[in-house]
Amino acid sequence: RDEKQVAERAEPRLQILGSKVTYSAPRRWTKPQISTRAKLEALQFTIPLPVTGTAAPNTSAIVIAEPNTDKLSLVDFSNSKIPRKYPAGTIIADQTDGDSWRTVLSYVHEGNPPYTVLDRFGVTAEVRVHFRIIFPKEDDAKVTWPKTLSQESSDFIRNLRINEQNKALV
């Protein structure tokens, strides 16, 4: 009985790029818009936020999966996706999990309003995947959605897999 209750709460496993990349998304994230172009698949989720004084009413997350036809390494792939225009000090955390996964947290001071970006990269010999979620700035310390969104994005990262593999130490 307990297993059934856990299964009901668990998010369904979804897949892109055939079944090479699998993930689970929180139920409150909107059904993603899906784009498919020449072997690349991209999903964009809209995530509703409670409307508060300065924050946007929603934010977004994107997942892009594609064959690793040019055999990019994790470092080369992830470095190509992190904006070069970021000034020094923008990246506030950078963690590599094994040789296949990397997570980068950036705070974009110059944004209007400023925002935080969480990038998760996965690379194998066959496939590469990039997950990005934007956290709008929230000044009201009483607001709970940033903690909820942080937990949801951590869950998404833990469930994002290439060939059912993931090393998430985040």
Side-chain angles (χ1 to χ4, degrees), residues 3-170:
E3 286 177 25
K4 184 178 181 202
Q5 289 172 336
V6 169
E8 287 172 359
R9 278 196 307 267
E11 305 303 333
R13 302 277 309 146
L14 303 168
Q15 59 190 35
I16 53 178
L17 213 61
S19 59
K20 291 180 176 76
V21 176
T22 56
Y23 67 96
S24 298
R27 293 190 192 283
R28 68 180 203 89
W29 293 13
T30 61
K31 187 172 188 233
Q33 290 182 319
I34 301 171
S35 301
T36 305
R37 291 191 309 270
K39 298 183 182 170
L40 174 145
E41 284 191 66
L43 308 172
Q44 181 167 356
F45 298 90
T46 299
I47 305 165
L49 303 174
V51 178
T52 58
T54 56
N58 58 48
T59 191
S60 63
I62 189 163
V63 179
I64 299 170
E66 59 193 320
N68 193 10
T69 51
D70 41 4
K71 304 297 183 213
L72 289 178
S73 69
L74 175 63
V75 170
D76 291 340
F77 174 62
S78 55
N79 285 347
S80 75
K81 299 298 180 186
I82 297 169
R84 286 177 179 78
K85 65 181 193 253
Y86 280 0
T90 299
I91 294 177
I92 52 179
D94 187 344
Q95 177 176 320
T96 303
D97 301 323
D99 56 4
S100 297
W101 294 95
R102 179 181 181 193
T103 304
V104 178
L105 187 64
S106 309
Y107 182 67
V108 182
H109 310 273
E110 295 71 30
N112 188 12
Y115 57 94
T116 302
V117 179
L118 177 66
D119 287 299
R120 175 71 169 172
F121 304 97
V123 175
T124 66
E126 300 86 34
V127 178
R128 57 189 184 223
V129 64
H130 178 199
F131 168 68
R132 171 175 282 173
I133 186 166
I134 307 292
F135 291 85
K137 183 172 179 7
E138 178 55 70
D139 293 323
D140 186 346
K142 294 185 206 95
V143 173
T144 60
W145 68 258
K147 184 176 182 190
T148 300
L149 191 57
S150 178
Q151 183 61 52
E152 288 172 345
S153 63
S154 292
D155 289 347
F156 192 99
I157 285 171
R158 267 193 298 284
N159 289 308
L160 182 63
R161 301 182 190 289
I162 298 175
N163 299 325
E164 287 303 315
Q165 301 295 310
N166 182 352
K167 289 184 179 153
L169 306 177
V170 182

